[in-house]
Amino acid sequence: MNRPFIFLALLTLSTLLTPVLRAQAPAPVVLQAVTPVPAAVAPAPAAAAAPASATAGKNTLQSLTEIQTTNAEILKKQEAALATLDELQKAAEEIKIFSKRG
């Protein structure tokens, strides 16, 4: 009579501890691959006439305009997706209405 009780207790304990033991497993670490820089390419010489702050400002402005155009393209894609979803929703509502009538 003591054995079934011990077996049941161990079974219950193992069932309760299984999620805890699995939760302590470390999460996998994903690292980005490092691409080597070619040795034959020399760095571009800096412009001597322009101050460093002016070139940094131009680079910043150029990157911001690129980001702005990318964001505009993404917004256009999202608007098209929303229009498609609206059409699908209207079609689904029509199907519901027609199925109730039939």
Side-chain angles (χ1 to χ4, degrees), residues 4 35 92:
T35 56

Side-chain angles (χ1 to χ4, degrees), residues 10-91:
L10 288 176
L11 182 65
T12 305
L13 185 64
S14 66
T15 305
L16 293 175
L17 290 180
T18 301
V20 174
L21 294 176
R22 287 188 184 188
Q24 292 180 0
V29 177
V30 179
L31 299 176
Q32 292 285 341
V34 178
T35 56
V37 177
V41 177
S53 62
T55 57
K58 288 180 183 178
N59 291 339
T60 304
L61 183 61
Q62 184 180 10
S63 65
L64 287 175
T65 54
E66 289 174 3
I67 291 171
Q68 187 177 15
T69 55
T70 304
N71 285 344
E73 292 172 1
I74 291 172
L75 287 175
K76 287 179 185 178
K77 289 179 183 178
Q78 288 178 346
E79 287 175 2
L82 284 174
T84 304
L85 289 173
D86 285 340
E87 291 174 6
L88 287 173
Q89 184 177 6
K90 288 178 184 177

